[in-house]
Structures are given as C-alpha cells and as structure tokens.
Amino acid sequence: MDLSAFADAVGATDPVTIAGFGSHGGGVEGVRTVNAPAGIERIEPEEMTVRCGAGTPVDELAAALAEHGQQVTLPSGGTVGGSLAVGRSGVRRLGDGPVRDAVLQIGYVSAAGEVVKAGGPTVKNVSGFDLCRVLVGSWGTLGFLGEVILRTRPHAAREQWFAGSLDPFHVLRHVHRPAAVLWDGATTWVLLAGHPADVESQVRGLAVSEVPGPPDLPAGGRWSVPPAEVADQRGEFVAEVGVGIVHRHQAPPSRPVDPAVRELHRRIKHGFDPTGRLNPGVDVLTLGAAGAGA
Amino acid sequence: MVAALRRALPSDRVRDGRTELSLYRRDASHMEGTAIAVCFPTSTEEVRACVEAAVRHDTPFVARGAGTGLAGGAVPPEGAVVISTMKMTRILGVDPVNRRAWVQPGVLNLDLSREVARHGLHFAPDPSSQQTCSIGGNVANNAGGPHCLSEGVTAAHIMALEVVLPDGQVALLGGEDPEPAGYDLRGAFVGSEGMLGIATAICVRLTPDPLAVCTMLFDFDAVVDGAATVSAVIAAGIVPAAMEMMDQLCLRAVEAYIGAGLPVDAAVALLVEVVGLADGVAADTERITAIARDHGVRGVRIAADDVERALLWKGRKSAFGAIARIKPNYYLHDTVVPRRVLPAVLDQVYEITARHELLVLNVFHAGDGNLHPLIVYDAREPGVMDRVRAAGEEIVRVSVAAGGVLSGEHGIGLEKRDLMPLMFSAVDLAAQATLRAAFDPAGLANPGKVLPSPARCADVAAVPEGAWI
C-alpha cells in the first residue's frame, strides 16, 4: 500500500491528530485531524497473515477472514489502527494472547512526515529492535499507523460459552487451556474452543451450562491487576481470570510511575516526536486512570 | 577500571587473567572481540554496581548468558567489561495457578521447565540449545525453537523484566498485570541483544503441558511435495505444535549417528507434532495424514508411544552432533521466508552452495518458514572460509528478496549487522536507533551490534572482514 498520500496529509510541522471511528474517544479536540487509509490488501490463508490499511474496520476484516476460516486477535469494533494504537486485548486474551502479539509489521508515518517500516512480513522475525511492540498501545504519540501485517489464526471447529456458579480458579486449574474465564464474584463464564468432542468432555463434570455469550461488561473502568489479585475483587465487576483485567463502572485509580520509567517515556517521546506535534497533550502514562479523561 | 569493579564486587568475582579473558572473547558464533574484565554478579545490586563502575569509566559493557548465541551478540566490543549472569541462577517464585514464575537471568531454559514439570507446566520457547542456554539470553535474543510455531517466540512468554538500565538505574518494565501503563517497554527490551540494559529478574508465563500428543514422520520423494504439505496443513486451519523438515543429507547423517530408522533414501522428511486434547489430536492427525497423502507422501510413521516419539525428536535434535561425522566445522544460517516459497528458496540454497563447492544440510522449522541451512566444511582447507562466507551472504540475500527476513531466532548481533539495509531503509534504521538512544544515550551497552553505522547504510556490499568468519 502506498502511504505517501497519508504521509503528505500528516505533514511535518503543525500539530496533528488521528481518528478512526472514535470508538476510543477519537482524536485530540481542536487539532487538525487525519485518517489512515482503509482497505484489505491481501489475505494469505496459507501464510496465516493479512495486510491491510490501518483505517480498515475491524469487523470488516473479521468478516473477510471468516470466509477463509480464520480470525485475528482484535476486539470487535472500531478500526484496526485504533485498536492497535490503544493496544487493549479482548476477553479472549487468556487463549488467544494479547493484541500486540498479532502484529508482524507496521508501516507508519513519523513526526517528520516520513514513511517508516517496523518489523517484517513473516510470522517469525527477530531482525532488529521490535518497534512494533512500542507502537502498539502508544496512542498515536510516536507515529501514525498507516498499514499493518497481522498474524491470523484458524477458527476452532466449536466455540462455546458456558456459565455456572463455581470457583473460577477451579476452572482455570482443571480445564485445559480455556479461551476465556470470566467471573463476577458469583458466576463463572468459560469459553471453550476446539474439537466438539473435546469441548464436551471438558465440561462433563463441571457444574455449568451453555450460554449464548459472555456477560455485559461494566463500561467505564478497565483495571489491570496481577492475576493473583483477581480473587480479592469485591463490589460490582467482571474479571478476566488468569489475565488480570477487571471491568468496573469506575475508572481505576492513577498508578504511581517509577521515575526511571517516566524518564524513559520522556526520552522515547522526545526521540520520536521532538516537537510534540503528534496527538499533542496525550500522556500514555495516565490514560484510562481516574481524572485523566480518555 | 578493574580496580573499580573489584570495589563493586567481591574481588574473586572479577577476573582479568589472560586465560580467562580469552574464554570470553567469543560466543557460539565465528567472531571474536576483546574483554578487559569479566564480572560474575549474583544480585541485581551487584549488576547495578558493575554497570555504574563501567559508566563512570566511560567503558562499554556487555551482558553475557551461557554464550550460546550464534550471531555474535555477546562478543565483547573492544575493551569491554563482560557482565556474566551465570551466577544468577535462582528461581525466585512460581505461581502454578496463574502460571507465572520469576527467575534470575542465569536460570537455564530446560532447568525452568524441569522445575515446573510437577505442576504440569513448562516454559514454551525451546531453542535447540535449551539444555545450556539461559533465560536471560532467551530474552536478549527473543529466542525461538520448534514449538514456537503454535506457542510464539520468547516475547509472547515474558510478562515483566527487572532491568539495570545503561545508566545504572534499576527499573521494572512491563508488569505482572496485563496492561501496565505507558509504552510496552518490556516488548522493546525483548530481543534487544543487550543494547537496552541488563535483565536481572524475569517474570515468565508458563504453559500447561498438553494432555495428548501425536508425533508423525512423513517422507517424500521431492522437496516440493513436503513443502506443499506444510502450506496445505496451515491453509486447512491446523496449527500443529511443530513442523520440522530434514533433507536427505541430514537424514543420512543423523541415521548414521543414532540409528532411528529414518528414511535415508527420501528427498525430505517432515516431522509433525500435534498437541492438545485427545479428540482434537486424533482428528488433526487424520487430517494431516490425508493432506500428506494428497501430496504424494511415501512413508508415514506415527509414533506409537513416548519412546518412539522421543526417538523421532532425537533424530531432529541430533543433527548438530551428527554433522561432525561429515566435516569438522559448520556454519549455521537462520533466515525466514514465506511458506509458499520454501521449495524455490531451498532450490536456490542448493544451487548457491553447489556453485561454491560446499556441502549443505537443511534441518529447519518448516512450519514458520524458518530456514537453517547448515554449511559443513573443513577449516583446514585453504580458501574455504571465503566460499562459506560468500555462500552465506547469498543465502541471506535470496531469502530477503523472496519476501523474507534476515533472522528468525538467532538475532542480528555482529553477523548480520551490515546486512540490515537489505531489509530496512535508512529512515527505518534511524527509528530503531532512536529507540536505542532513548534507553542508552551514552551508547555503552553492547555498542556496535544490530545497527549498522549510518555510513554503512548506503553501501550494503561492504560487509566487514570477519563478519562471516
């Protein structure tokens, strides 16, 4: 995909922000807005990769991949670029891994308005520093994603949610590699994916029954805790067991940041965007916390 | 400098004897450097003290694990302090329910898997050197292995890193929680080949052992049939735990070495392993066998029990021992290509090595297109090194030209540093250098690796003397 028109739009001097569908709050208000190119360029089922513009809707990508019996580890909704810029995984992270592990190559536009390539097109690659990992979850503060190559994975023959009143840690211990385990303090939901007979044999002896899907997640607060602390959660919540994401109505408290880590952030931002023109005012260290907006 | 290190550490753990220094001139690659001292810290605080002493004396330093790296990443830059992590060998804690462990960097890969086996868990990255390589080294190189086809490479298995930054500060990158605030500094650090600091404690993700396993060996009359089987399996929506390929010369060498009953008259053999639960494994085994039959498979051998399974894997893992029977020296390469071009690139590998009058064995991770051409030679033969070097560079070039990458799991180090422009533009490389400078403004952590100096970017042809020896 030719990113030169996108690079021209980003330019090299004035403050600029990027927006997808606004599913994560949209761009920075009052700043000139650009949009990443959209479109699926190539699906390669036998390589388990897909190349697409960052402006491609995640759901459009998912539908196109489903025709090949494949899927990509991005939560539904919004654009591919938006999802990667935010870097938040869906409730299937326990089984599918985090969003960042799905990214193989990124073509982005730098603060200098240049097209830069990070990573490589193959499913395995350790050539040079892993800039893709830094860009995923960077909220457009280091560069604007233009085009990506993602790793895909096959759909399982059967995927089914089950729920029941049982100890989520019992499920985690005794069910072999569930795709997700959710818990609200009373009910446990488990998603099993695999051969139909294996799915049946796994739930045999568990006090659960089939349900159409996961529970509604409280919106507004996404708390990230060590998975060992999930058992201590109280109040109204839905927790991702074995992972450590706790969905609540309230925003999480702001977290203390180690001064050495803060200084690394400052130097990285300064190195990639010396004048602070990309998504001005966005501080990745406080995003999502109470009182920080976004 | 050495006196300062002796103040930082008990003096018997700072060595500068000539014999000892000579042991640390190289890793498992074919390149050499010169160290002025080797330190053996036992704690984060001691690593910090070593780094601080080096920084105060404006002296480069290089972290070193077990020294099994193949790309020269641990070769000391001229006059550097080597900081060995091999006395930091404690497993600090295991949480079997949430499947995490904290380890010191000198813990050996296989030792961790053995330690957590009683919980039905293992550490998924399994490089061929897993009996001797350290987890700190796995982090530095983002190590792979046969089972990374389904489980992913080391980066997918590291949650958090306590590191000594190149200025001597200690920081926690990533965290036990899934979404630490800010940039993914943990992800930046994994695979950074010692150039962003030294990991002193590592939080790894542990993987549950499968409840069912099936290992199959298929053999084919033509390489192209084996390679097409690999692509067809993936396209059918099956991701085996591993898909490994061995060509005829390799099969013969291994069979002569261990006598596993390998098909020595086949052009190529494909070792496939599927894991999981009983019904899924049985179904996948059947489907994979059918796909192989569609592609003209000659022999199908399915391991009947754990003993036979271990024997088939021994065949795969003995390749490096076996080749010593053919020639005394070898040079192992590591590139990745899209699966669909495997037959064409393998043909080019045979053509290149034949033209340089060299013998090549291929034993590699076919499932993810990760080639490992193994050039065998006798270093006493006059002029052979020039041919080995030239053939190696051609193999890297054809791999990248076929849509591939420079390295799948060995890293760039010194070996491929000056070939980085084959894959990356000057602008791409400058962005990587920006990340490096943010972590290490003074450039003292393992300088001279991975990134070519800007002057060299323009001239890929000028590979420095020694880089391919």
Side-chain angles (χ1 to χ4, degrees), chain B residues 329-387:
Chain B
N329 306 96
Y330 69 82
Y331 197 123
L332 174 63
H333 285 278
D334 167 48
T335 65
V336 187
V337 299
R339 296 177 186 97
R340 66 173 180 281
V341 299
L342 271 176
V345 175
L346 273 174
D347 273 349
Q348 285 176 291
V349 168
Y350 292 127
E351 184 277 320
I352 290 164
T353 45
R355 183 156 39 77
H356 289 282
E357 297 172 21
L358 293 166
L359 269 182
V360 67
L361 287 74
N362 283 286
V363 47
F364 62 99
H365 313 308
D368 35 32
N370 191 179
L371 289 169
H372 282 321
L374 188 62
I375 298 176
V376 293
Y377 60 96
D378 183 342
R380 293 165 298 189
E381 196 185 312
V384 71
M385 281 320 303
D386 291 338
R387 300 193 333 256

Side-chain angles (χ1 to χ4, degrees), chain A residues 20 23 53 77-78 116 137 144 198 200 211 225 269 275 277:
Chain A
S23 350
V116 187
F144 289 172
D198 288 332
E200 288 310 316
V211 291
V225 305
K269 171 69 177 172
T275 63
R277 64 181 293 257

Side-chain angles (χ1 to χ4, degrees), chain B residues 181-261:
Chain B
Y183 300 135
D184 183 11
L185 303 180
R186 169 212 64 89
F189 194 94
V190 176
S192 62
E193 305 198 28
M195 295 176 71
L196 304 186
I198 301 177
T200 50
I202 301 161
C203 179
V204 304
R205 199 164 69 87
L206 300 169
T207 301
D209 295 341
L211 300 179
V213 181
C214 182
T215 307
M216 302 154 252
L217 187 74
F218 303 108
D219 60 89
F220 300 87
D221 276 328
V223 173
V224 66
D225 292 331
T229 300
V230 171
S231 284
V233 166
I234 298 288
I238 306 168
V239 183
M243 279 204 277
E244 302 284 308
M245 204 175 250
M246 283 186 280
D247 70 1
Q248 188 176 62
L249 196 51
C250 185
L251 288 167
R252 289 183 176 172
V254 170
E255 184 58 22
Y257 187 52
I258 63 162

Side-chain angles (χ1 to χ4, degrees), chain B residues 238-311:
Chain B
I238 306 168
V239 183
M243 279 204 277
E244 302 284 308
M245 204 175 250
M246 283 186 280
D247 70 1
Q248 188 176 62
L249 196 51
C250 185
L251 288 167
R252 289 183 176 172
V254 170
E255 184 58 22
Y257 187 52
I258 63 162
L262 297 174
V264 292
D265 53 343
V268 73
L270 184 63
L271 182 70
V272 182
E273 184 160 281
V274 289
V275 305
L277 294 160
D279 290 295
V281 165
D284 284 350
T285 301
E286 207 167 291
R287 288 171 68 204
I288 292 169
T289 307
I291 290 169
R293 289 196 202 288
D294 287 345
H295 290 86
V297 72
R298 237 179 39 159
V300 176
R301 179 171 171 188
I302 296 178
D305 51 30
D306 282 350
V307 176
E308 192 174 5
R309 189 171 86 81
L311 188 64

